[in-house]
Amino acid sequence: MINTPQSKLIYVHDPMCSWCWGYAPTWHALEAALVNKLPIEYRVGGLAADTDLPMSQDMQLQLQAIWQKISSQLGTEFNFDFWRDCQPRRSTYPSCRAALIARSFNKEPQMIAAIQQAYYLQAQNPSDEAVLIKLSEKIGLDPRLFAQQLHSNELKRRFDDELNYVRSLPIQGFPSLVLIHNNRAYPIAINYTDWRQTLIEIQSYL
């Protein structure tokens, strides 16, 4: 593969997307295979907008069924105590903003991993800013500065710009991969268990 300014792979995700959590091991293997070969950009997709309303019972049951499906198909670990111990809200925008703040300090992958582990393994709710602030400290950020930035106009602008950009890409959900090559965007099929198949598809364009 040739590393050219015209080529990059965009990983579109949401830190609280359960399929992104299921894809994580395969994604990291693909990412490692592309180190020093193809630039990679993370982009947050914004799965669910801000809300203070509790998640409906129907939605809770629907998401629990998705977790069970992912666990069955991919062997992904989930801590179902979340649904007993937390008050779920259908809101992933705060975790997306947290990822953007971490990106400014070159810690975006660490923040994503911290959010996913807190949510899916430790039964914590990343829709709550208090959880995100604690995670920011865990990955080495200044929690007071992080808390200030969560509500800044600059972060709001960056997040709006990111959502607009993601919506311009040829994606149909999260996670998604898009290869930019010679100023064209190519959707890359997600294989949840075999990163090599994805690598072969990427290489076919380059």
Coordinates of all heavy atoms in Angstrom, one line a residue, residues 106-181:
N106 N -4.8 14.0 21.9 CA -4.3 12.8 21.3 C -4.6 11.6 22.2 O -3.9 10.7 22.3 CB -2.8 12.9 21.1 CG -2.5 13.9 20.0 OD1 -3.1 14.0 19.0 ND2 -1.5 14.7 20.3
K107 N -5.8 11.6 22.8 CA -6.3 10.5 23.7 C -7.7 10.0 23.3 O -8.3 9.4 24.1 CB -6.2 11.0 25.2 CG -4.8 11.1 25.7 CD -4.9 11.5 27.2 CE -3.5 11.6 27.8 NZ -3.0 10.2 28.0
E108 N -8.0 10.2 22.1 CA -9.4 9.8 21.7 C -9.6 8.3 21.8 O -10.6 7.8 22.4 CB -9.7 10.2 20.2 CG -11.1 9.9 19.8 CD -11.5 10.5 18.5 OE1 -10.5 10.8 17.7 OE2 -12.7 10.6 18.2
P109 N -8.7 7.4 21.3 CA -8.9 6.0 21.5 C -9.0 5.5 23.0 O -9.8 4.7 23.3 CB -7.7 5.3 20.8 CG -7.2 6.4 19.8 CD -7.5 7.7 20.5
Q110 N -8.2 6.2 23.8 CA -8.2 5.9 25.2 C -9.6 6.3 25.8 O -10.1 5.5 26.7 CB -7.1 6.6 26.0 CG -5.7 6.1 25.6 CD -5.1 7.0 24.5 OE1 -5.7 7.3 23.5 NE2 -3.8 7.2 24.6
M111 N -10.1 7.4 25.4 CA -11.4 7.8 25.9 C -12.5 6.9 25.5 O -13.4 6.5 26.2 CB -11.7 9.3 25.5 CG -13.1 9.7 26.0 SD -13.4 9.7 27.8 CE -12.6 11.2 28.3
I112 N -12.5 6.5 24.2 CA -13.5 5.6 23.7 C -13.4 4.3 24.4 O -14.5 3.7 24.9 CB -13.2 5.3 22.2 CG1 -13.5 6.6 21.4 CG2 -14.2 4.2 21.6 CD1 -12.9 6.6 20.0
A113 N -12.3 3.7 24.6 CA -12.1 2.5 25.4 C -12.6 2.6 26.8 O -13.3 1.7 27.3 CB -10.7 2.0 25.4
A114 N -12.3 3.7 27.4 CA -12.8 4.0 28.8 C -14.3 4.0 28.9 O -14.9 3.5 29.8 CB -12.2 5.2 29.4
I115 N -14.9 4.7 27.9 CA -16.4 4.8 27.9 C -17.0 3.4 27.7 O -18.0 3.0 28.4 CB -16.8 5.8 26.8 CG1 -16.5 7.2 27.2 CG2 -18.3 5.7 26.5 CD1 -16.6 8.2 26.0
Q116 N -16.5 2.7 26.7 CA -17.0 1.4 26.4 C -16.9 0.4 27.6 O -17.8 -0.3 27.9 CB -16.3 0.8 25.2 CG -16.7 1.5 23.9 CD -15.9 1.0 22.7 OE1 -14.8 0.5 22.9 NE2 -16.5 1.0 21.5
Q117 N -15.7 0.4 28.3 CA -15.6 -0.5 29.4 C -16.5 -0.1 30.6 O -17.0 -0.9 31.3 CB -14.1 -0.4 29.8 CG -13.2 -1.1 28.8 CD -11.7 -0.8 29.0 OE1 -11.3 -0.4 30.1 NE2 -10.9 -1.1 28.0
A118 N -16.6 1.3 30.8 CA -17.5 1.7 31.9 C -18.9 1.3 31.6 O -19.6 0.8 32.5 CB -17.4 3.2 32.0
Y119 N -19.3 1.5 30.4 CA -20.7 1.2 30.0 C -21.0 -0.3 30.0 O -22.0 -0.8 30.6 CB -21.0 1.8 28.6 CG -22.4 1.7 28.1 CD1 -23.5 1.6 28.9 CD2 -22.6 1.8 26.7 CE1 -24.8 1.6 28.3 CE2 -23.8 1.8 26.1 CZ -24.9 1.7 27.0 OH -26.2 1.6 26.4
Y120 N -20.2 -1.0 29.2 CA -20.5 -2.4 28.9 C -20.0 -3.4 29.9 O -20.5 -4.5 30.0 CB -20.0 -2.8 27.5 CG -20.8 -2.0 26.5 CD1 -20.1 -1.1 25.7 CD2 -22.1 -2.3 26.2 CE1 -20.8 -0.4 24.7 CE2 -22.8 -1.6 25.2 CZ -22.1 -0.6 24.5 OH -22.8 0.1 23.5
L121 N -19.0 -3.1 30.7 CA -18.4 -4.0 31.7 C -18.6 -3.6 33.1 O -18.7 -4.5 34.0 CB -16.9 -4.2 31.4 CG -16.5 -4.7 30.0 CD1 -15.0 -4.8 29.9 CD2 -17.2 -6.0 29.7
Q122 N -18.7 -2.3 33.4 CA -18.8 -1.8 34.8 C -20.1 -1.3 35.2 O -20.3 -0.8 36.3 CB -17.7 -0.8 35.0 CG -16.3 -1.3 34.8 CD -15.2 -0.3 34.5 OE1 -15.5 0.9 34.7 NE2 -14.0 -0.7 34.1
A123 N -21.1 -1.4 34.2 CA -22.5 -1.0 34.5 C -22.6 0.5 35.0 O -23.3 0.8 35.9 CB -23.2 -1.9 35.6
Q124 N -21.8 1.4 34.3 CA -21.9 2.8 34.6 C -22.5 3.5 33.4 O -22.6 2.9 32.3 CB -20.5 3.4 34.8 CG -19.7 2.8 35.9 CD -18.3 3.4 36.1 OE1 -18.1 4.6 36.0 NE2 -17.3 2.6 36.3
N125 N -23.1 4.7 33.6 CA -23.8 5.3 32.5 C -23.1 6.5 31.9 O -23.1 7.6 32.5 CB -25.2 5.8 33.0 CG -26.1 6.2 31.9 OD1 -25.7 6.3 30.8 ND2 -27.4 6.5 32.3
P126 N -22.5 6.4 30.7 CA -21.8 7.5 30.1 C -22.7 8.6 29.6 O -22.1 9.6 29.0 CB -21.0 6.8 29.0 CG -21.0 5.3 29.3 CD -22.3 5.1 30.0
S127 N -24.0 8.4 29.7 CA -24.9 9.5 29.4 C -24.8 10.6 30.5 O -25.2 11.7 30.3 CB -26.3 9.1 29.3 OG -26.5 8.2 28.2
D128 N -24.2 10.2 31.6 CA -24.1 11.1 32.8 C -22.7 11.8 32.7 O -21.7 11.1 32.6 CB -24.2 10.3 34.1 CG -25.6 9.7 34.3 OD1 -26.6 10.2 33.6 OD2 -25.7 8.8 35.0
E129 N -22.7 13.1 32.8 CA -21.5 13.8 32.7 C -20.5 13.5 33.8 O -19.3 13.5 33.6 CB -21.8 15.3 32.6 CG -22.4 15.8 31.3 CD -22.6 17.3 31.2 OE1 -22.2 18.0 32.2 OE2 -23.1 17.8 30.2
A130 N -21.1 13.2 35.0 CA -20.2 12.9 36.1 C -19.3 11.6 35.8 O -18.2 11.6 36.2 CB -21.0 12.6 37.4
V131 N -19.9 10.7 35.1 CA -19.2 9.5 34.7 C -18.1 9.9 33.7 O -16.9 9.4 33.9 CB -20.1 8.4 34.1 CG1 -19.3 7.3 33.5 CG2 -21.1 7.9 35.2
L132 N -18.4 10.7 32.8 CA -17.4 11.1 31.8 C -16.3 11.9 32.4 O -15.1 11.7 32.0 CB -18.1 12.0 30.7 CG -19.1 11.2 29.8 CD1 -19.8 12.2 28.9 CD2 -18.5 10.1 29.0
I133 N -16.6 12.7 33.4 CA -15.5 13.5 34.0 C -14.6 12.6 34.8 O -13.3 12.8 34.7 CB -16.2 14.6 35.0 CG1 -16.9 15.6 34.2 CG2 -15.1 15.2 35.9 CD1 -17.8 16.5 35.0
K134 N -15.1 11.6 35.4 CA -14.2 10.6 36.1 C -13.4 9.9 35.1 O -12.2 9.6 35.4 CB -15.1 9.6 36.9 CG -15.7 10.2 38.2 CD -16.5 9.2 38.9 CE -17.2 9.8 40.1 NZ -18.1 8.8 40.9
L135 N -13.9 9.5 34.0 CA -13.2 8.8 32.9 C -12.1 9.7 32.4 O -11.0 9.2 32.0 CB -14.1 8.3 31.8 CG -15.2 7.3 32.3 CD1 -16.0 6.9 31.1 CD2 -14.5 6.0 32.8
S136 N -12.3 11.0 32.2 CA -11.3 11.9 31.7 C -10.1 11.9 32.6 O -8.9 11.9 32.1 CB -11.9 13.3 31.6 OG -12.0 13.9 32.8
E137 N -10.3 11.9 33.9 CA -9.2 11.8 34.9 C -8.5 10.5 34.8 O -7.2 10.4 34.8 CB -9.7 12.0 36.3 CG -8.6 12.1 37.3 CD -9.1 12.6 38.7 OE1 -10.3 12.4 38.9 OE2 -8.3 13.0 39.5
K138 N -9.2 9.4 34.5 CA -8.7 8.1 34.4 C -7.7 8.0 33.3 O -6.7 7.3 33.4 CB -9.8 7.0 34.3 CG -9.3 5.6 34.2 CD -10.5 4.7 34.0 CE -10.0 3.2 33.9 NZ -11.2 2.3 33.7
I139 N -7.9 8.7 32.2 CA -7.0 8.6 31.0 C -6.0 9.7 31.0 O -5.3 9.9 30.1 CB -7.8 8.6 29.7 CG1 -8.5 10.0 29.5 CG2 -8.8 7.4 29.7 CD1 -9.1 10.1 28.1
G140 N -5.9 10.5 32.1 CA -4.9 11.4 32.3 C -5.2 12.9 31.9 O -4.3 13.7 31.8
L141 N -6.5 13.2 31.7 CA -6.8 14.6 31.4 C -7.1 15.3 32.7 O -7.4 14.7 33.8 CB -8.1 14.6 30.5 CG -7.9 13.9 29.1 CD1 -9.2 14.1 28.3 CD2 -6.7 14.5 28.4
D142 N -7.1 16.6 32.7 CA -7.5 17.5 33.8 C -9.0 17.5 33.9 O -9.7 18.0 33.0 CB -7.0 18.9 33.6 CG -7.3 19.8 34.8 OD1 -8.3 19.6 35.5 OD2 -6.6 20.8 35.0
P143 N -9.6 16.9 34.9 CA -11.1 16.7 35.0 C -11.8 18.1 35.1 O -12.9 18.2 34.5 CB -11.3 15.9 36.2 CG -10.1 16.1 37.1 CD -9.0 16.2 36.1
R144 N -11.2 19.1 35.7 CA -11.9 20.4 35.8 C -11.9 21.1 34.4 O -12.9 21.6 34.0 CB -11.2 21.3 36.8 CG -11.4 20.9 38.2 CD -10.6 21.7 39.2 NE -9.2 21.5 39.1 CZ -8.3 22.1 39.8 NH1 -8.7 23.0 40.8 NH2 -7.0 21.9 39.7
L145 N -10.8 21.0 33.7 CA -10.7 21.5 32.3 C -11.7 20.8 31.4 O -12.4 21.4 30.6 CB -9.3 21.5 31.8 CG -9.1 22.0 30.4 CD1 -9.5 23.5 30.3 CD2 -7.7 21.8 29.9
F146 N -11.7 19.5 31.6 CA -12.6 18.6 30.8 C -14.1 19.1 31.0 O -14.8 19.2 30.0 CB -12.4 17.2 31.1 CG -13.3 16.2 30.4 CD1 -13.0 15.7 29.2 CD2 -14.5 15.8 31.0 CE1 -13.8 14.8 28.5 CE2 -15.4 14.9 30.3 CZ -15.0 14.4 29.1
A147 N -14.4 19.2 32.2 CA -15.8 19.6 32.6 C -16.2 21.0 32.0 O -17.3 21.2 31.5 CB -16.0 19.6 34.1
Q148 N -15.2 21.9 32.0 CA -15.5 23.2 31.4 C -15.7 23.1 29.9 O -16.6 23.7 29.3 CB -14.3 24.1 31.7 CG -14.2 24.6 33.2 CD -12.9 25.3 33.4 OE1 -12.1 25.5 32.5 NE2 -12.7 25.7 34.7
Q149 N -14.9 22.3 29.3 CA -14.9 22.1 27.8 C -16.2 21.5 27.3 O -16.7 21.7 26.2 CB -13.7 21.4 27.3 CG -12.4 22.2 27.4 CD -11.2 21.5 26.8 OE1 -11.3 20.4 26.4 NE2 -10.1 22.2 26.7
L150 N -16.8 20.6 28.2 CA -18.0 19.9 27.8 C -19.1 20.8 27.4 O -20.0 20.5 26.6 CB -18.5 19.0 28.9 CG -17.9 17.5 29.0 CD1 -18.5 16.8 30.2 CD2 -18.3 16.8 27.7
H151 N -19.1 22.0 28.0 CA -20.2 23.0 27.8 C -19.7 24.2 27.0 O -20.5 25.2 26.9 CB -20.8 23.5 29.1 CG -21.4 22.3 29.9 ND1 -22.7 21.9 29.6 CD2 -20.9 21.6 30.9 CE1 -23.0 20.9 30.5 NE2 -21.9 20.7 31.3
S152 N -18.6 24.1 26.4 CA -18.1 25.3 25.6 C -18.7 25.4 24.3 O -19.1 24.4 23.6 CB -16.5 25.2 25.5 OG -16.2 24.1 24.5
N153 N -18.8 26.7 23.8 CA -19.3 26.9 22.5 C -18.4 26.3 21.4 O -18.9 25.9 20.3 CB -19.5 28.4 22.3 CG -20.6 29.0 23.1 OD1 -21.6 28.3 23.4 ND2 -20.5 30.3 23.5
E154 N -17.1 26.3 21.6 CA -16.2 25.8 20.7 C -16.4 24.3 20.5 O -16.4 23.8 19.3 CB -14.8 26.0 21.2 CG -13.7 25.3 20.4 CD -13.6 25.7 19.0 OE1 -14.1 26.8 18.6 OE2 -12.9 25.0 18.2
L155 N -16.7 23.6 21.6 CA -17.0 22.1 21.4 C -18.3 21.9 20.7 O -18.4 21.0 19.9 CB -17.0 21.5 22.8 CG -17.3 20.0 22.8 CD1 -16.2 19.2 22.0 CD2 -17.4 19.4 24.2
K156 N -19.3 22.7 21.0 CA -20.6 22.6 20.3 C -20.4 22.8 18.8 O -20.9 22.0 18.0 CB -21.6 23.6 20.8 CG -22.9 23.6 20.1 CD -23.9 24.6 20.7 CE -25.3 24.5 20.1 NZ -25.3 24.5 18.6
R157 N -19.6 23.8 18.4 CA -19.3 24.0 17.0 C -18.6 22.8 16.3 O -18.9 22.4 15.3 CB -18.5 25.3 16.8 CG -18.2 25.7 15.4 CD -17.1 26.7 15.2 NE -15.8 26.3 15.8 CZ -15.0 25.4 15.1 NH1 -15.4 24.9 13.9 NH2 -13.9 25.1 15.7
R158 N -17.6 22.3 17.0 CA -16.8 21.2 16.5 C -17.7 20.0 16.3 O -17.6 19.3 15.3 CB -15.6 20.9 17.4 CG -14.5 21.9 17.4 CD -13.4 21.5 18.4 NE -13.0 20.1 18.2 CZ -12.4 19.4 19.2 NH1 -12.3 19.9 20.5 NH2 -12.0 18.2 19.0
F159 N -18.5 19.8 17.3 CA -19.4 18.6 17.2 C -20.4 18.7 16.1 O -20.7 17.8 15.3 CB -20.1 18.4 18.6 CG -21.0 17.2 18.7 CD1 -20.5 15.9 18.2 CD2 -22.2 17.2 19.3 CE1 -21.3 14.8 18.3 CE2 -23.0 16.0 19.4 CZ -22.5 14.8 18.9
D160 N -21.0 19.9 16.0 CA -22.0 20.1 14.8 C -21.3 19.9 13.5 O -21.8 19.3 12.6 CB -22.5 21.6 14.9 CG -23.5 21.7 16.1 OD1 -24.0 20.7 16.6 OD2 -23.8 22.9 16.4
D161 N -20.0 20.4 13.4 CA -19.3 20.3 12.1 C -19.0 18.8 11.8 O -19.1 18.3 10.7 CB -18.0 21.1 12.2 CG -18.2 22.6 12.1 OD1 -19.3 23.0 11.7 OD2 -17.2 23.3 12.4
E162 N -18.7 18.1 12.9 CA -18.4 16.6 12.7 C -19.6 15.9 12.3 O -19.6 15.0 11.4 CB -17.9 16.1 14.0 CG -17.4 14.6 13.9 CD -16.0 14.4 14.3 OE1 -15.2 15.3 14.2 OE2 -15.6 13.3 14.6
L163 N -20.8 16.2 12.9 CA -22.0 15.5 12.5 C -22.4 15.8 11.1 O -22.8 14.9 10.3 CB -23.1 15.9 13.4 CG -23.1 15.4 14.9 CD1 -24.3 15.8 15.6 CD2 -22.8 13.9 15.0
N164 N -22.2 17.0 10.7 CA -22.5 17.4 9.3 C -21.6 16.7 8.3 O -22.0 16.2 7.2 CB -22.4 18.9 9.1 CG -23.5 19.7 9.7 OD1 -24.6 19.2 9.9 ND2 -23.2 20.9 10.1
Y165 N -20.3 16.5 8.7 CA -19.3 15.8 7.8 C -19.7 14.4 7.7 O -19.7 13.8 6.6 CB -17.9 16.0 8.4 CG -16.9 15.2 7.6 CD1 -16.6 15.5 6.3 CD2 -16.2 14.1 8.2 CE1 -15.6 14.8 5.6 CE2 -15.3 13.4 7.5 CZ -15.0 13.8 6.2 OH -14.1 13.1 5.5
V166 N -20.0 13.7 8.9 CA -20.3 12.3 8.9 C -21.6 12.0 8.0 O -21.6 11.0 7.3 CB -20.5 11.8 10.3 CG1 -21.2 10.5 10.4 CG2 -19.2 11.7 11.0
R167 N -22.5 12.9 8.1 CA -23.8 12.8 7.3 C -23.5 12.9 5.8 O -24.4 12.5 5.0 CB -24.8 13.8 7.8 CG -25.4 13.4 9.2 CD -26.1 14.6 9.8 NE -26.5 14.2 11.2 CZ -26.8 15.1 12.1 NH1 -26.7 16.4 11.9 NH2 -27.2 14.7 13.3
S168 N -22.4 13.5 5.4 CA -22.1 13.6 4.0 C -21.4 12.3 3.5 O -21.2 12.2 2.3 CB -21.1 14.8 3.8 OG -19.8 14.5 4.2
L169 N -21.0 11.4 4.4 CA -20.3 10.2 4.0 C -21.2 9.1 3.6 O -22.4 9.1 4.0 CB -19.4 9.8 5.1 CG -18.2 10.7 5.5 CD1 -17.5 10.2 6.8 CD2 -17.2 10.9 4.4
P170 N -20.8 8.2 2.8 CA -21.6 7.0 2.3 C -21.7 5.9 3.4 O -21.1 4.9 3.3 CB -21.0 6.6 1.0 CG -19.5 6.9 1.3 CD -19.5 8.1 2.0
I171 N -22.4 6.2 4.5 CA -22.6 5.3 5.6 C -24.0 4.9 5.8 O -24.9 5.7 5.4 CB -21.9 5.8 6.9 CG1 -22.7 7.0 7.4 CG2 -20.5 6.1 6.7 CD1 -22.3 7.4 8.8
Q172 N -24.3 3.8 6.5 CA -25.6 3.4 6.7 C -25.8 3.0 8.2 O -26.8 2.4 8.6 CB -26.0 2.2 5.8 CG -26.1 2.6 4.4 CD -26.6 1.5 3.5 OE1 -26.7 0.3 3.9 NE2 -26.9 1.8 2.3
G173 N -24.9 3.5 9.1 CA -25.0 3.1 10.5 C -23.7 3.1 11.1 O -22.7 3.5 10.5
F174 N -23.6 2.6 12.3 CA -22.4 2.6 13.1 C -22.1 1.1 13.6 O -23.1 0.5 14.0 CB -22.4 3.5 14.3 CG -22.9 4.9 14.0 CD1 -24.0 5.4 14.6 CD2 -22.3 5.6 13.0 CE1 -24.5 6.6 14.3 CE2 -22.8 6.9 12.7 CZ -23.9 7.4 13.3
P175 N -20.9 0.6 13.5 CA -19.7 1.3 12.9 C -19.8 1.3 11.4 O -20.5 0.5 10.8 CB -18.6 0.4 13.4 CG -19.2 -0.9 13.5 CD -20.6 -0.7 14.0
S176 N -19.0 2.2 10.8 CA -18.9 2.3 9.3 C -17.4 2.6 9.0 O -16.7 3.3 9.8 CB -19.8 3.3 8.7 OG -21.1 2.9 8.6
L177 N -17.0 2.1 7.9 CA -15.6 2.4 7.4 C -15.8 3.1 6.0 O -16.6 2.6 5.2 CB -14.8 1.2 7.2 CG -14.4 0.5 8.5 CD1 -13.7 -0.8 8.3 CD2 -13.5 1.4 9.4
V178 N -15.1 4.2 5.8 CA -15.1 4.9 4.5 C -13.6 5.1 4.1 O -12.9 5.7 4.9 CB -15.9 6.2 4.6 CG1 -15.8 6.9 3.2 CG2 -17.3 6.0 5.0
L179 N -13.3 4.7 2.9 CA -12.0 5.0 2.4 C -12.1 6.2 1.5 O -12.9 6.3 0.6 CB -11.5 3.8 1.5 CG -10.1 3.9 0.9 CD1 -9.0 4.0 1.9 CD2 -9.9 2.8 -0.1
I180 N -11.2 7.2 1.8 CA -11.1 8.3 0.9 C -9.8 8.1 0.1 O -8.7 8.0 0.6 CB -10.9 9.6 1.7 CG1 -12.1 9.8 2.7 CG2 -10.8 10.9 0.8 CD1 -13.5 9.9 2.1
H181 N -10.0 8.1 -1.3 CA -8.9 7.8 -2.2 C -9.1 8.6 -3.4 O -10.1 8.6 -4.1 CB -8.8 6.3 -2.5 CG -7.7 6.0 -3.4 ND1 -6.3 6.2 -3.1 CD2 -7.6 5.4 -4.6 CE1 -5.6 5.8 -4.0 NE2 -6.3 5.3 -5.0

